[in-house]
């Protein structure tokens, strides 16, 4: 919940324990699928809270997982949803901080945005499924 006054506001952020639980759940799901991935969890201020580079994950998955989580935390919706004309322009304009690769999901509790998770290293479908499993495991609002 965001509380405001004339001069200040309060923003709720994902806790480190919840971020670690999400990363652990994503790692468990990736293992059940037999895919090595990297997992990044950011809060809504775009601060890295938890990160895992799973066994067998490729080196590039480190950055893709982070970019996916940063993008989902920033835009507050799943990655992979940019229109075609923005899919290339936004990464270029943001110094590659934003990505259109699927696998980044916002994390909300009771409709309140607290951060995001990004999974990289599998297929887009695997990354999305792993991120959704993590969100479900921590009791966050489901993402359609």
């Amino acid at each position: 919940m965001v509380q405001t006054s004339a001069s200040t506001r309060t923003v709720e952020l994902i806790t480190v324990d919840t971020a670690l639980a999400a990363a652990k759940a994503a790692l468990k799901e990736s293992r059940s699928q037999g895919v090595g991935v990297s997992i990044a969890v950011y809060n809504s201020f775009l601060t890295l809270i938890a990160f895992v580079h799973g066994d067998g994950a490729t080196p590039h998955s480190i950055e893709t997982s982070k970019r996916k989580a940063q993008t989902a935390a920033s835009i507050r919706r799943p990655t992979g949803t940019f229109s075609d004309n923005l899919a290339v322009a936004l990464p270029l304009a943001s110094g590659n901080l934003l990505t259109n690769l699927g696998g980044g999901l916002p994390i909300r509790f009771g409709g309140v945005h607290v951060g995001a998770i990004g999974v990289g290293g599998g297929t887009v479908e695997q990354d999305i499924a792993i991120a959704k499993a993590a969100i479900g495991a921590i009791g966050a609002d489901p993402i359609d």
Side-chain angles (χ1 to χ4, degrees):
M1 169 180 280
V2 177
Q3 299 173 348
T4 61
S5 72
S7 302
T8 65
R9 67 182 178 144
T10 303
V11 179
E12 292 192 30
L13 304 172
I14 193 167
T15 65
V16 68
D17 289 337
T18 302
L20 289 169
K24 186 175 180 180
L27 185 60
K28 181 179 178 183
E29 179 63 22
S30 74
R31 287 176 174 162
S32 76
Q33 291 192 26
V35 60
V37 297
S38 290
I39 303 144
V41 181
Y42 279 74
N43 67 23
S44 57
F45 285 158
L46 303 184
T47 302
L48 180 63
I49 304 301
F51 177 79
V52 174
H53 181 70
D55 295 338
T58 59
H60 74 275
S61 68
I62 295 168
E63 287 305 316
T64 58
S65 68
K66 290 178 179 180
R67 298 299 180 238
K68 290 175 184 186
Q70 289 172 330
T71 302
S74 176
I75 66 173
R76 298 177 179 217
R77 64 177 194 252
T79 58
T81 60
F82 293 147
S83 63
D84 289 343
N85 63 329
L86 292 178
V88 174
L90 284 177
L92 290 174
S94 68
N96 282 323
L97 292 178
L98 299 177
T99 184
N100 199 41
L101 296 172
L105 299 178
I107 300 173
R108 295 184 191 93
F109 291 96
V112 177
H113 178 73
V114 297
I117 186 168
V119 178
T123 65
V124 169
E125 294 78 16
Q126 288 171 321
D127 292 349
I128 293 168
I130 292 165
K132 283 185 175 183
I135 285 177
I138 61 171
D141 299 349
I143 303 292
D144 296 325

